[in-house]
Amino acid sequence: MGILFLTSVPSLLLSIALATQPIPAFESKKELNLLSSVSQQEEHFILIEEEELSDKTELMIENLQQRKDYTLDRGEACRYIMDTYEILTGKKPKIVLENPFSDVDADSQPFILQAYHLGIVNGKGDDIFSPSEELSRSDFVILLYRLIETACPNVDLSGGEDIVFEENVAKAATIPLQFAYSRGLIDIQNNGKIELDNVLTLGEVADILHEVIEIAPEFPVKYAKFASKRAFLTFDDGTSENTAKILDILKEYHVKATFFVTGTCDEELLQRMQEEGHIVGNHTNSHKYEVLYSSSDAFWNDFNTEQQYLENILGTASPFMRFPGGSNNSIGMKNGVMGDITTQAKQNGYFYVDWNVDSGDARGNNVPKDVIVHNVLNGTSGKNQVIILMHQTKPKQTTVEALPEIIEGLQAQGYEIRPMTEKSYMPRFVK
């Protein structure tokens, strides 16, 4: 097809460009038809302005906090997809002057036409786009894959081919889902399933796209297999000589954990936790119940002291926290402050994490190793996701001795052991 130049419009470089779907990565998979009920390939004729450089570096979503639980539709998804495209490429998306859709307003919804003409999204019929139709997790993953392939044409998208999902995955979504899961862009829900048919919320999409921007352009593989069962090892309180032993064991087994630390700790051990990929969370400075739970102000003064201390050492403020005694501790509940504190924690952007498996190592000094192992491996019964409570202080030598058996036992039960993330399952005694 030739190229037509219209010299009568000097401000525009006008061309007619042909874009066919599916894009090259899917030419061998004819079954893939992105977000469309149309099975045949489409020809997209594009009338565009020449590209301009962009200085946009951050994805901005208006009123995200208030709207995070809203479901996402196809039209709004295109808006954020094209904003992400602009950030990844460093160029403003080209303005499209041809509108093939009777239900799309070119002036207020230019991002739909841009995404369509780039081959990222299809229409739903001859002249219909259906911008208000809700978007499923499966559809969004396909759209996400096409975005990355379009914005980063030289990126290696392989690495997830061996991942097999327990749920029924449509052929069209298999490769995109393998990519997204292997890069940690999409994960299982609290019930241990991907839930591909469920609609996405705005908050979920924001998290996914922020992660895309964060890990681009390398998109390193994080997970090479699918596991519907997850275990999170957590260790509370201040560091001790046992901490180094715990870190050595975790390194030997190639697993990551989450440490909720208290008070003044060994700075080298804190830095080692961070360097080796573990998560460091705040377990308050004093760990004194009578101080912490005397009032919400007293709690946050103590908590913020520890938060500043950790930030000075690690260079970043962790969003993860654990209440001494858990969010339903007896003193805080008796004083009537836990409801206020837990609400304030969420309002301040913190993720407070309780547990649903207790190792029992806090019931005394050097609880017998076999008891600790039994408590953990029996406590997992019937659970797809487990947050395991353990401790790292000096009297917890038997916790160290139990750890290898716990790791091997969890893996034998089919659990994948991971560090905490903002998307992780988080049991909370007080909601």
Side-chain angles (χ1 to χ4, degrees), residues 370-410:
D370 291 343
V371 172
I372 295 174
V373 173
H374 178 271
N375 288 340
V376 172
L377 299 185
N378 275 28
T380 61
S381 178
K383 300 181 179 74
N384 280 331
Q385 304 208 61
V386 293
I387 310 291
I388 301 165
L389 174 66
M390 294 180 284
H391 296 79
Q392 62 179 327
T393 48
K394 188 173 181 179
K396 307 304 176 186
Q397 177 61 38
T398 52
T399 301
V400 178
E401 296 169 3
L403 185 55
E405 289 186 46
I406 289 172
I407 292 173
E408 292 175 10
L410 290 170

Side-chain angles (χ1 to χ4, degrees), residues 12-285:
L12 297 178
L13 173 61
L14 300 179
S15 66
I16 300 178
L18 175 64
T20 60
Q21 294 183 342
I23 55 180
F26 293 117
E27 285 180 350
S28 63
K29 296 186 177 292
K30 296 181 180 179
E31 71 277 2
L32 180 61
N33 183 37
L34 174 64
L35 297 179
S36 174
S37 60
V38 183
S39 61
Q40 70 272 18
Q41 292 182 340
E42 299 180 12
E43 290 186 349
H44 296 175
F45 296 89
I46 316 169
L47 204 57
I48 56 176
E49 285 188 347
E50 65 180 334
E51 292 180 339
E52 297 180 11
L53 296 179
S54 170
D55 57 2
K56 183 180 293 186
T57 59
E58 184 176 357
L59 182 66
M60 303 298 294
I61 298 180
E62 187 176 357
N63 298 324
L64 174 59
Q65 195 59 34
Q66 292 78 18
R67 300 171 59 228
K68 65 180 181 179
D69 294 325
Y70 287 20
T71 56
L72 190 73
D73 60 42
R74 284 164 50 85
E76 189 171 10
C78 287
R79 176 194 297 273
Y80 306 128
I81 284 292
M82 293 315 302
D83 285 346
T84 305
Y85 173 90
E86 183 173 342
I87 294 169
L88 294 179
T89 62
K91 297 177 181 179
K92 295 180 180 179
K94 299 174 181 179
I95 296 175
V96 178
L97 302 183
E98 181 185 349
N99 181 4
F101 301 118
S102 61
D103 58 351
V104 172
D105 180 67
D107 293 329
S108 63
Q109 299 172 309
F111 39 84
I112 293 177
L113 302 180
Q114 291 166 334
Y116 171 73
H117 285 300
L118 282 171
I120 294 174
V121 64
N122 279 359
K124 300 292 287 188
D126 291 340
D127 67 342
I128 300 297
F129 184 81
S130 299
S132 60
E133 181 180 302
E134 291 181 333
L135 199 64
S136 71
R137 185 172 279 107
S138 176
D139 285 344
F140 183 76
V141 167
I142 298 173
L143 192 157
L144 183 71
Y145 187 95
R146 297 289 285 271
L147 160 70
I148 293 171
E149 190 167 50
T150 302
C152 309
N154 298 318
V155 71
D156 182 5
L157 304 183
S158 64
E161 298 83 1
D162 295 331
I163 295 176
V164 178
F165 300 98
E166 294 183 354
E167 294 172 69
N168 181 33
V169 178
K171 290 182 179 180
T174 299
I175 294 175
L177 184 59
Q178 288 171 330
F179 166 78
Y181 181 87
S182 66
R183 269 59 176 192
L185 299 175
I186 192 166
D187 209 346
I188 63 172
Q189 304 303 294
N190 289 349
N191 61 3
K193 297 181 179 180
I194 297 288
E195 294 187 343
L196 291 173
D197 294 333
N198 285 10
V199 295
L200 277 170
T201 66
L202 184 57
E204 288 178 288
V205 167
D207 288 342
I208 293 170
L209 293 180
H210 282 306
E211 184 68 13
V212 166
I213 295 166
E214 182 69 23
I215 66 175
E218 292 83 6
F219 297 101
V221 174
K222 293 178 64 176
Y223 309 117
K225 64 179 182 179
F226 175 82
S228 61
K229 297 171 69 175
R230 303 287 166 77
F232 300 87
L233 304 174
T234 68
F235 298 90
D236 283 8
D237 301 339
T239 56
S240 73
E241 59 193 43
N242 286 326
T243 305
K245 298 175 184 177
I246 290 170
L247 289 170
D248 289 342
I249 294 170
L250 296 173
K251 187 173 184 178
E252 177 184 354
Y253 282 89
H254 305 287
V255 298
K256 310 299 181 186
T258 303
F259 293 83
F260 292 102
V261 300
T262 296
T264 302
C265 300
D266 185 310
E267 295 186 11
E268 291 185 3
L269 288 175
L270 290 176
Q271 291 167 345
R272 181 182 170 187
M273 291 174 191
Q274 184 182 63
E275 290 167 0
E276 295 183 0
H278 306 291
I279 299 301
V280 180
N282 188 334
H283 196 39
T284 74
N285 182 258

Side-chain angles (χ1 to χ4, degrees), residues 236-237 262 282-303 321-342 344-345 352-355 429-430:
D236 283 8
D237 301 339
T262 296
N282 188 334
H283 196 39
T284 74
N285 182 258
S286 72
H287 203 281
K288 294 179 179 179
Y289 289 33
E290 66 275 12
V291 173
L292 294 168
Y293 303 127
S294 60
S295 69
S296 58
D297 286 344
F299 176 86
W300 290 111
N301 286 337
D302 189 290
F303 176 91
M321 61 182 290
R322 174 170 281 165
F323 295 108
S327 63
N328 66 344
N329 68 87
S330 58
I331 295 179
M333 297 298 286
K334 180 180 178 181
N335 292 343
V337 298
M338 291 313 302
D340 289 339
I341 296 174
T342 54
Q344 291 160 356
Y352 67 91
V353 185
D354 289 317
W355 56 89
F429 304 141
V430 174

